[in-house]
Amino acid sequence: MVEAISLIGFGEAGSTFARAAGWEAAAHAYDVNPARRAAMEEAGVLACATADCALSAAGLVLSLVTADAALPAAQDYAALLAPGAIWCDMNSVAPQTKRAAAAAIEAAGGRYVDVAVLAPVNPARLNVPLLLSGTAAAEAEALLRNAGFTNVRVVGDEIGRASAIKMIRSIMVKGIEALTAEMMLGAHAAGVVDEVLASLDASERKDGWADRAAYNIERMTTHGARRAAEMAESAKTLEALGIEPVMTRGTVQRQHELAGRKFPLEAAEKGEIDA
């Protein structure tokens, strides 16, 4: 028997989960955009005109709103929760934002769980990796699995821990995307796309991320000053091609800052941390 579920927000994530799980009448959904009611009806869930309708009987709430609405949703709807209901905040926001949301939910008698969604919901759907943290995380894990989610893991009792993993990981995932765009804009403008990509293929490392991170940090602490100077010239190259070197300027700064420093990653191996 699936716990009565409330979906707050019925965009891509909410509609994808509802269709994949086949919750139908076991789920009530509410979205501030009335145009989403058609999608709710298509998915077979009970479309609610008010948040109160969606939340009053739910034991498990999935908050799937936009990032800027995550905290207001928790604050505005906390008083509407059934006693002891679990509010799973699945929005991509900072740990401190989730802690503020948790304070609102728990002050109203609900239980808050920080949920980090680690991949696009399509095509993963109910197989999308979910990390949970909070004192009610273990119970939320069981409820989410019962609802059909298959890739769920508790990472701690502290609100913000799951979202910290997601937000810090996103620095690399989204940063690589932005760096790729900056590189390709420059390569196209200079007419050297094939050569640049072939050179990258030839130098690609296949190490795991633990080894790769240690290697990259060692390169920066040992050779950061020289690399910063080189990247300053890369920035000039892009500017001459009419491309704003947004990411490249950040690389110059970070290489320069780490040059000659003892970084926590390498210091930890020796039992030393030099702030």
Side-chain angles (χ1 to χ4, degrees):
M1 180 71 177
V2 175
E3 178 85 22
I5 298 171
S6 172
L7 299 169
I8 299 300
F10 206 77
E12 180 186 8
S15 60
T16 297
F17 293 153
R19 289 190 181 94
W23 292 322
E24 298 185 338
H28 288 59
Y30 171 73
D31 196 292
V32 293
N33 183 356
R36 300 266 168 81
R37 287 178 62 87
M40 297 174 192
E41 292 166 357
E42 181 185 343
V45 302
L46 296 176
C48 292
T50 66
D52 190 15
C53 162
L55 292 168
S56 60
L60 177 65
V61 181
L62 308 184
S63 176
L64 295 160
V65 298
T66 57
D68 60 329
L71 178 55
Q75 294 171 330
D76 293 346
Y77 304 146
L80 304 177
L81 291 173
I86 294 180
W87 179 280
C88 286
D89 193 334
M90 306 178 84
N91 304 295
S92 296
V93 296
Q96 57 267 39
T97 304
K98 292 211 170 178
R99 286 191 284 269
I105 295 296
E106 291 169 358
R111 293 178 291 167
Y112 183 97
V113 175
D114 174 10
V115 182
V117 182
L118 291 188
V121 297
N122 280 313
R125 298 185 293 178
L126 297 180
N127 295 321
V128 69
L130 302 179
L131 301 183
L132 280 59
S133 65
T135 55
E139 186 173 345
E141 178 186 14
L143 291 175
L144 288 167
R145 290 189 182 279
N146 189 48
F149 292 93
T150 62
N151 193 354
V152 188
R153 182 165 66 92
V154 175
V155 294
D157 293 336
E158 178 188 354
I159 298 296
R161 182 173 176 82
S163 56
I165 295 169
K166 168 69 182 286
M167 292 295 99
I168 295 170
R169 176 181 180 272
S170 291
I171 294 170
M172 179 62 71
V173 175
K174 276 70 172 184
I176 286 176
E177 293 172 358
L179 279 170
T180 300
E182 191 157 298
M183 176 193 72
M184 292 302 290
L185 286 169
H188 277 287
V192 294
V193 171
D194 291 343
E195 289 82 357
V196 167
L197 295 178
S199 177
L200 287 172
D201 284 339
S203 60
E204 180 69 12
R205 296 176 60 88
K206 303 300 182 183
D207 300 334
W209 269 108
D211 290 337
R212 189 181 302 190
Y215 175 83
N216 289 347
I217 295 300
E218 187 279 325
R219 296 290 85 191
M220 294 176 72
T221 56
T222 303
H223 304 290
R226 175 173 59 80
R227 289 173 177 237
E230 177 185 339
M231 293 309 298
E233 294 302 312
S234 293
K236 290 180 183 177
T237 302
L238 289 176
E239 288 173 331
L241 293 167
I243 298 163
E244 185 72 14
V246 176
M247 300 297 292
T248 305
R249 285 199 188 107
T251 299
V252 173
Q253 178 180 344
R254 191 63 70 196
Q255 290 278 357
H256 179 74
E257 287 176 350
L258 288 184
R261 292 186 58 187
K262 184 180 292 184
F263 192 82
L265 188 65
E266 65 178 21
E269 297 175 358
K270 303 174 183 178
E272 305 171 354
I273 297 291
D274 181 2

